[in-house]
Amino acid sequence: MTQTIMNPQRLKQLLPMVTLLSIVPLWEILCRTLSIPDYLLPSPSRIINAFYEVDSARWLDHLWATLRVAVLGFGLSMLISFPLAVAMVCSRYMTKTLYPLLVIIQSTPVVAVAPLIIVIFGTGDAPRLTITCLITFFPLVVAMTTGMLETPSELIELSRSLRAGRRKEILQIRLPYATPHIFSGMKVAITLSIIGAVVAEFVAAEKGLGYFIQFSTSFFKVPQAFSSLIFLSAVSLALFKLVQWIQQRFFSWSLPKDQRV
């Protein structure tokens, strides 16, 4: 047991967690010694109490509302991104046409266009999914396009010399080569999907952790809002780890050797 704990690799993995956990007692001491009011900065113990003050069924209801929109929005972005990335890889004209449009979409603050999206789509899931898609779409399509365009020209020339069609070139050569890029984009997008869902809930929802944060702060229940934020961070981390696990479990060949399980 002692040898396992003292293993340098294990210590290296635990160090970030230990550093983060060491901040908690310092935070608690700071709040108590300086008597910081809850509405400015609640102590960790107060945040934990606020978490248990809310019924677990209510937490699950809000969590499910946020998680559902985040995962569906992320999945929808994946479905839209792939054909667009393939189109840009296959056609220089499409690249010159679509890329500036994507940059414009990415540079537009989603919070600013959210009210317009609600006017267009009304209430329900449609505006929330649209906002989540807008936030997650750009990193996915850029990762897919960049990965496929960086396929070595020797491999492309070899496939063409073997008379492989464009479909085989994309599916059997460019796409596998782009897998590390795609997973990098997915890891960014899956955490952004939570942000997108929360932003949408600020303006167009009656359920969800984003709505609950807004509800809590409007009644000055700041510890409760902090509990929601910590909950959101945990969910984002869990989704990130899920994508990481899928890559390690099913696409380990796409990882550097020192990161393979």
Side-chain angles (χ1 to χ4, degrees), residues 80-151:
I80 298 171
S81 300
F82 181 65
L84 278 179
V86 171
M88 287 195 287
V89 169
C90 294
S91 167
R92 187 165 292 183
Y93 171 77
M94 291 294 286
T95 305
K96 289 181 179 179
T97 306
L98 289 176
Y99 209 81
L101 181 62
L102 294 175
V103 172
I104 290 171
I105 293 172
Q106 172 64 15
S107 59
T108 304
V110 175
V111 177
V113 298
L116 294 174
I117 291 171
I118 293 165
V119 170
I120 295 169
F121 291 99
T123 57
D125 281 348
R128 299 164 68 193
L129 290 174
T130 305
I131 292 168
T132 307
C133 270
L134 281 175
I135 288 182
T136 57
F137 171 71
F138 192 77
L140 287 172
V141 75
V142 168
M144 290 180 186
T145 307
T146 305
M148 286 193 278
L149 285 176
E150 287 186 358
T151 306

